[in-house]
Amino acid sequence: MRLLIVDKTAGLAASDERHRAIAAHPEIDLHVVGPRNWIEAGRHIRWEPSEDLPYTAHVCHMAPKGYYARSFYTWGLRAAMRRAKPDVIQLLEEPWALSTGQVARIADGIPLLFYTWENIYRDFCYPSRLSKIYAQIDHRLHRQAIGAVCATEGAQKVLTQKGFDKPTEVIPYGIPRFYFENPKTSTEIGEIFNIGYIGRMLAMKGVGPLLRASQRILQSKLLMIGSGEGEQLVDQLAVALCMTEFMQRIPSVAEREVPDYLRQMDVLVLPSETTPGWQEQLGRVLIEAMAMGVPVIGSDSGAIPETIGGAGLVFHEGDVDDLTAKLKRIREDHMLRAELAAKGRRRAEERFTWERFAEALVACYKKLKLM
């Protein structure tokens, strides 16, 4: 089967790992369409496909870069699809994105599936001035697509609420293999209890409650990695709580360096808080920590409980007392730390690798009798 994947993030190393895992299946002749330049989490990504790829890369151009649903192909898409001659098109895009609409218009009867993360029911209304255009594209994809792949059970539920009646499969994204290669080797805690956070510095990420809870844990240190619009508020709150001496904030690190920082943590916390227009869609950093053997605590926002799945502790979002209690449990109970570290490693390996993603995707296509 000649499969064409359309992926804005094709230039990322993690995406290449995903595509190699799919291309490893002998039944798949894989072609990948993506932009030459993209901005991912503030980082400029330039796609320079290597010559030894086990799949065929089709490099196009997009604008504006890094805006996801608002981004569209300005050059090369139609020619790439003509060269690929796909039997099936897999969009790694939301069903309302502008680029999705472009692909749908060109597809001309080719079986097509999309991928969705959206876990808030919006009734075809989107928080954008382009809402009406998004709705038109979304309705078209509901008619045209033969099925959908969902990142989480929450996303699958939203599709059902919107009236999508085609087959759906829940296949969460994976993480790069290097997170599994050199895990944290001990769950012993020294004199200082190291609490970690990796993510954007935004109010909706729950960084305020995390600072307040961490301040209540004696002989602890808080390591926060990330940047965002809430950086100044984080620093101001740290001063108000007299935490500056016990907190280290690093604006950003290269992805390959993330495991080194995770090994320094006794626990990783993702304290996201739901807003009217957003809730956590997966919580990838939790998976990265679990793969490294680091115990995790997450709020009950969106997909976090589904991601953790019993391999960590869950607290009620925004509840400082509950988060404080969970942090104390992790600190005081060595048996619990060891148990969660082992469960996390096992869950990440069983559910969140690119090999598993590829196997599930191929199984989905076989179920749909596409191959």
Side-chain angles (χ1 to χ4, degrees):
M1 183 185 80
R2 184 169 287 202
L3 172 66
L4 175 64
I5 287 180
V6 182
D7 180 11
K8 290 184 179 73
T9 67
L12 292 172
S15 299
D16 177 62
E17 188 174 324
R18 173 178 64 235
H19 299 149
R20 287 176 182 270
I22 296 170
H25 287 259
E27 311 100 315
I28 300 289
D29 176 11
L30 180 62
H31 293 247
V32 178
V33 165
R36 172 73 73 190
N37 296 288
W38 183 247
I39 296 175
E40 181 73 12
R43 294 184 297 123
H44 179 262
I45 306 297
R46 183 172 174 83
W47 191 22
E48 298 282 2
S50 63
E51 295 181 358
D52 66 339
L53 290 178
Y55 56 89
T56 304
H58 301 270
V59 180
C60 303
H61 293 273
M62 295 192 81
K65 299 173 182 66
Y67 283 84
Y68 295 92
R70 284 171 47 197
S71 298
F72 58 93
Y73 287 92
T74 58
W75 177 85
L77 176 63
R78 186 178 293 274
M81 292 178 64
R82 187 168 57 245
R83 290 194 303 272
K85 298 178 182 177
D87 299 312
V88 177
I89 297 172
Q90 176 67 65
L91 286 151
L92 294 183
E93 316 280 0
E94 292 286 357
W96 65 82
L98 297 183
S99 59
T100 295
Q102 290 180 288
V103 174
R105 287 198 304 272
I106 301 170
D108 192 25
I110 302 170
L112 180 152
L113 300 92
F114 58 84
Y115 192 92
T116 180
W117 295 81
E118 183 56 68
N119 58 355
I120 295 179
Y121 176 62
R122 303 181 192 275
D123 193 23
F124 296 95
C125 293
Y126 311 88
S128 169
R129 288 176 295 177
L130 299 178
S131 180
K132 290 184 178 180
I133 296 175
Y134 292 161
Q136 290 174 3
I137 297 171
D138 206 355
H139 280 296
R140 174 173 185 157
L141 264 292
H142 278 229
R143 296 191 303 270
Q144 186 171 341
I146 64 167
V149 183
C150 306
T152 63
E153 293 174 3
Q156 186 181 49
K157 180 180 178 180
V158 166
L159 267 187
T160 301
Q161 288 178 288
K162 291 170 70 175
F164 188 76
D165 58 359
K166 312 287 181 63
T168 60
E169 293 288 338
V170 176
I171 308 177
Y173 264 18
I175 59 172
R177 176 52 59 181
F178 63 77
Y179 282 102
F180 296 90
E181 292 172 350
N182 191 13
K184 188 178 175 73
T185 56
S186 173
T187 55
E188 294 290 341
I189 293 177
E191 293 183 6
I192 301 299
F193 181 49
N194 293 294
I195 304 167
Y197 169 85
I198 302 176
R200 292 176 293 168
M201 295 295 164
L202 300 172
M204 66 185 188
K205 284 294 190 175
V207 289
L210 175 58
L211 262 70
R212 295 182 186 281
S214 300
Q215 190 260 352
R216 298 180 180 182
I217 307 297
L218 298 178
Q219 293 182 294
S220 68
K221 179 179 179 180
L222 175 61
L223 171 60
M224 304 187 77
I225 300 173
S227 59
E229 298 173 1
E231 290 179 56
Q232 187 175 359
L233 292 176
V234 168
D235 292 338
Q236 291 173 348
L237 182 57
V239 171
L241 294 172
C242 301
M243 284 190 63
T244 53
E245 183 181 346
F246 310 103
M247 185 184 83
Q248 180 183 9
R249 193 166 66 75
I250 302 173
S252 66
V253 298
E255 186 176 21
R256 281 279 182 174
E257 297 175 0
V258 172
D260 295 331
Y261 287 94
L262 283 169
R263 283 187 210 96
Q264 299 175 28
M265 300 175 186
D266 296 311
V267 62
L268 178 124
V269 184
L270 185 60
S272 303
E273 296 186 64
T274 301
T275 70
W278 179 87
Q279 58 184 358
E280 193 66 62
Q281 293 184 326
L282 183 66
R284 192 184 73 167
V285 70
L286 292 168
I287 303 167
E288 294 166 354
M290 289 190 293
M292 292 287 301
V294 177
V296 299
I297 299 175
S299 74
D300 55 4
S301 173
I304 289 177
E306 181 182 339
T307 297
I308 292 177
L313 302 183
V314 177
F315 73 98
H316 183 60
E317 59 179 273
D319 189 331
V320 176
D321 291 337
D322 194 11
L323 175 54
T324 302
K326 296 298 193 298
L327 286 169
K328 287 180 177 178
R329 280 190 66 194
I330 293 288
R331 175 169 187 160
E332 296 167 2
D333 192 335
H334 175 265
M335 294 280 289
L336 176 64
R337 290 197 305 276
E339 177 187 355
L340 294 181
K343 283 184 174 180
R345 284 273 292 172
R346 186 163 56 249
R347 181 166 177 79
E349 186 68 64
E350 291 175 352
R351 187 169 175 80
F352 298 109
T353 65
W354 287 126
E355 291 82 4
R356 184 209 159 273
F357 180 90
E359 290 171 4
L361 201 62
V362 170
C364 171
Y365 297 151
K366 288 180 178 178
K367 187 183 295 186
L368 292 171
K369 303 188 184 307
L370 295 172
M371 56 188 301

